[in-house]
Amino acid sequence: MTSNNSVQVSVLGLGAMGSALASALVKAGYATTVWNRSPGKADDLVAQGAEAAATAGDAVLAGRLVIACLLDHASVHEVLDPLSHELAGRTLINVTTTTPAQSRELAAWAADAGVAYLDGGIMAVPHMIGQPGSSILYSGSAEVFNQYKPLLELWGTSTYFGEDAGLASLYDLALLAGMYVMFAGFMHGAAMVAPTGMTAGEFAAMSTPWLSSMTGGLQEFAAVIDGGDYTVEGQQSLEFSSLGDLLAASSDQGISTEVVAMVQGLIQRQIDAGHGAEGFARIIESIKQPG
């Protein structure tokens, strides 16, 4: 492992997340060079002690460790493809949001360029970086992860999932799937009650303890799914879980039924296949095998 006194780091991309990552490095005493495509984004970091690079190439040459936190997969290639020669012999940690296939492609690109590569999926919003609850998932080079783990831990709890560079992205996006569907469900509920005069804030106060308590059921669903038996006792049946009343009430309130209809479609496919008496967890079979 290396200390902060011996690592020169360059951060490419100073959006809200990139700036938060760079700020944590500067505060911890790392010699940090920063670059952003549009001017002005580096000013606050320079005031904290970072060095601003005029070009991405200058930034790469300034650091043995390069952190990429850019807009998307295409942006990573747009910025780094012309710099493959400068990157050779250096280490690249890419925390740009990409698909698993894109992460694997970047790992192969880096290998061809002679660059050690680690991919990261950030499970936090910018203000959480360096705070309790921030978590970052990594995959790719084990050597890079182990060498720079003290640095990575500045940002959040760091978990390594193996040499397959696509795994961090896969697990990141899988967790985001649960988050976004939950958020959509909350917004559907808020739309349902809005005609009564209830504000979204009031509905959030009702929803938070309810949804928090329901997360305890995830492990119960997981046990059924991992066991592969949807007939075990104690489950709520698919027939009982039918969301017909919820769909009707939503229509009566004059709102879209898209969010709830998606779940009802998964339920109904299993009922139609003769599994109505089995547990709700069986909808995962509808997800695994698209209709």
Side-chain angles (χ1 to χ4, degrees):
M1 293 186 180
T2 53
S3 70
N4 55 354
N5 295 322
S6 61
V7 180
Q8 292 179 312
V9 190
S10 294
V11 179
L12 307 180
L14 301 177
M17 184 59 76
S19 294
L21 299 177
S23 179
L25 296 176
V26 173
K27 290 175 181 176
Y30 284 92
T32 306
T33 299
V34 296
W35 172 84
N36 194 68
R37 191 189 309 271
S38 56
K41 290 289 187 71
D43 293 348
D44 288 344
L45 290 164
V46 169
Q48 294 175 38
E51 293 287 336
T55 67
D58 290 340
V60 167
L61 291 174
R64 298 303 302 173
L65 172 62
V66 178
I67 310 296
C69 188
L70 299 164
L71 177 62
D72 54 20
H73 178 256
S75 298
V76 176
H77 274 300
E78 184 178 347
V79 172
L80 296 184
D81 279 0
L83 302 175
S84 60
H85 179 72
E86 289 85 348
L87 278 165
R90 288 176 162 79
T91 296
L92 172 63
I93 300 178
N94 178 46
V95 292
T96 305
T97 299
T98 55
T99 69
Q102 290 169 340
S103 296
R104 293 175 182 122
E105 185 276 330
L106 283 168
W109 175 90
D112 288 343
V115 180
Y117 183 84
L118 186 67
D119 200 86
I122 302 176
M123 305 308 302
V125 293
H127 72 83
M128 292 173 62
I129 295 299
Q131 303 299 316
S134 177
S135 173
I136 305 184
L137 317 180
Y138 294 98
S139 59
S141 169
E143 182 179 353
V144 171
F145 178 80
N146 291 325
Q147 180 178 1
Y148 292 107
K149 190 173 182 182
L151 180 153
L152 302 177
E153 290 286 344
L154 293 173
W155 298 334
T157 301
S158 302
T159 307
Y160 178 72
F161 289 98
E163 294 282 345
D164 179 350
L167 289 180
S169 171
L170 177 64
Y171 298 154
D172 174 19
L173 295 174
L175 288 167
L176 290 176
M179 182 192 78
Y180 278 112
V181 174
M182 179 187 71
F183 285 165
F186 162 76
M187 292 173 193
H188 180 95
M192 284 185 73
V193 301
T196 71
M198 178 176 280
T199 67
E202 291 169 334
F203 186 65
M206 293 176 61
S207 298
T208 299
W210 164 247
L211 293 176
S212 296
S213 67
M214 287 299 98
T215 60
L218 296 178
Q219 289 295 339
E220 296 175 12
F221 285 134
V224 172
I225 292 166
D226 289 341
D229 183 0
Y230 304 106
T231 67
V232 295
E233 294 183 2
Q235 299 182 76
Q236 179 172 298
S237 73
L238 286 159
E239 290 170 341
F240 187 83
S241 301
S242 179
L243 305 181
D245 289 343
L246 182 47
L247 286 165
S250 299
S251 294
D252 290 346
Q253 290 297 88
I255 69 168
S256 167
T257 60
E258 291 170 275
V259 173
V260 178
M262 177 270 293
V263 182
Q264 177 65 0
L266 299 173
I267 294 170
Q268 194 61 52
R269 279 171 53 198
Q270 294 302 313
I271 292 175
D272 291 345
H275 303 294
E278 298 179 36
F280 178 77
R282 192 181 177 90
I283 69 167
I284 195 172
E285 300 300 330
S286 294
I287 297 169
K288 288 179 176 178
Q289 302 175 23

